[in-house]
Amino acid sequence: MSNVPVAVVTGSNKGIGLAIVRALCKQFPGDVYLTSRDPGRGQAAVAQLQQEGLKPLFHQLDIDDLQSIRALRDFLKEKYGGINVLVNNAGIAFKVQDTTPFPIQAEVTLKTNFFGTRNVCTELLPLMKPYGRVVNVSSMVSSSALGGCSQELQQKFRSDTITEEELVQLMNKFVEDTKKNVHQKEGWPNTAYGVSKIGVTVLSRIQARLLNENRKGDHILLNACCPGWVRTDMAGPQATKSPDEGAETPVYLALLPSNADAPHGQFVSNKTVKPW
């Protein structure tokens, strides 16, 4: 078993994820794993960074596939005895002009962005070593989508006592409500991506609370963040930030010093804690 620290970035063969791997390769004192669903694309991204003089490693990971997540978990456990930094970056978004029916967009978007991210956390958070850092990449859209929810839903999503089971029920209800075409009547905003990122932000708050209850002495810090509006395949060429600029806040949270006790359980944008 290796004593080398290890960092893993999900969905990192392009865009913000690739930029996070690049920055960690320069700043993190250990092994950095670039992961992607498609091994070919992942290996190509690794080769690109190697040409820049960096030394990322590759492991296949499809966050929609529980077996793929568990294969990564077992590999990390065996080789490193755990994990020091986890950046949950993998995510999808339909284009505004996409004609896919909204209920399908809702189901597909939540499957990856919320349920896939949650499965990664379920399998990998128990492997976090003391002083570990977990960064769940959310979006400012989660804040605006929260503002578009009914007062009742806002109260639930802002609750300091909401459980993971209750959050899962709400995310499933959104998908079901879109299928019945009653989601707006039921108080939901008309954005599947926004609701999926509400899920990620609230999940992060719940996970941080559970870490406080179950692993208080381990000094693990877990946060959600918004990278900003970044020029990627997802956000398009008009966005204001480069991928490297978008990586700044996630990398800042991934590399919080060992004597830091905050931020934890927060929503962070531009390295600043934002109200939820």
Side-chain angles (χ1 to χ4, degrees):
M1 197 187 293
S2 161
N3 282 328
V4 177
V6 61
V8 176
V9 185
T10 71
S12 49
N13 60 291
K14 63 179 183 177
I16 297 166
L18 181 63
I20 293 170
V21 170
R22 176 185 288 118
L24 288 177
C25 282
K26 294 174 182 174
Q27 298 174 60
F28 178 74
D31 290 348
V32 180
Y33 279 84
L34 182 154
T35 70
S36 71
R37 190 181 322 198
D38 180 312
R41 288 180 185 168
Q43 299 286 9
V46 164
Q48 179 190 334
L49 292 178
Q50 285 172 338
Q51 287 185 325
E52 297 174 23
L54 303 173
K55 295 191 174 76
L57 298 160
F58 176 74
H59 201 286
Q60 193 272 343
L61 174 66
D62 177 359
I63 73 166
D64 286 342
D65 177 357
L66 199 51
Q67 281 182 300
S68 171
I69 297 171
R70 287 176 173 163
L72 175 63
R73 175 199 68 189
D74 294 346
F75 167 78
L76 292 167
K77 197 169 180 178
E78 192 176 331
K79 184 166 169 72
Y80 297 94
I83 180 169
N84 303 87
V85 169
L86 172 62
V87 182
N88 281 307
N89 166 77
I92 61 162
F94 283 86
K95 299 281 185 244
V96 176
Q97 61 273 29
D98 195 299
T99 54
T100 305
F102 190 68
I104 295 173
Q105 291 196 23
E107 187 159 29
V108 170
T109 303
L110 266 74
K111 181 183 183 217
T112 296
N113 294 2
F114 176 73
F115 290 101
T117 300
R118 174 178 177 247
N119 285 341
V120 172
C121 291
T122 300
E123 300 299 332
L124 295 188
L125 287 188
L127 294 189
M128 293 308 298
K129 293 184 175 181
Y131 301 98
R133 303 290 180 252
V134 183
V135 185
N136 293 332
V137 178
S138 184
S139 168
M140 279 316 265
V141 176
S142 70
S143 282
S144 55
L146 182 68
C149 289
S150 66
Q151 284 300 315
E152 184 190 355
L153 281 172
Q154 287 189 41
Q155 278 180 322
K156 287 178 179 174
F157 287 132
R158 288 197 170 106
S159 162
D160 290 330
T161 55
I162 185 173
T163 65
E164 195 169 322
E165 291 71 31
E166 288 166 342
L167 177 60
V168 165
Q169 283 171 355
L170 285 166
M171 293 290 112
N172 280 324
K173 183 178 187 304
F174 170 70
V175 174
E176 291 309 310
D177 287 348
T178 64
K179 289 177 182 173
K180 298 176 199 155
N181 199 25
V182 296
H183 62 283
Q184 288 178 287
K185 197 174 88 193
E186 290 289 313
W188 296 102
N190 206 29
T191 160
Y193 182 77
V195 171
S196 77
K197 292 300 192 179
I198 289 175
V200 171
T201 302
V202 176
L203 182 66
S204 305
R205 288 161 56 88
I206 294 167
Q207 289 167 338
R209 200 173 74 219
L210 291 173
L211 284 169
N212 286 348
E213 290 168 12
N214 303 327
R215 299 188 61 180
K216 186 65 184 163
D218 284 349
H219 306 284
I220 297 167
L221 298 180
L222 183 153
N223 293 282
C225 72
C226 174
W229 194 31
V230 180
R231 291 187 293 278
T232 60
D233 289 353
M234 191 186 285
Q238 306 302 315
T240 46
K241 286 185 174 183
S242 70
D244 288 330
E245 289 169 331
E248 283 177 14
T249 293
V251 170
Y252 153 74
L253 292 170
L255 298 176
L256 286 167
S258 57
N259 61 355
D261 54 11
H264 179 54
Q266 301 292 345
F267 180 59
V268 180
S269 178
N270 290 324
K271 301 184 188 176
T272 309
V273 171
K274 300 294 180 192
W276 176 245

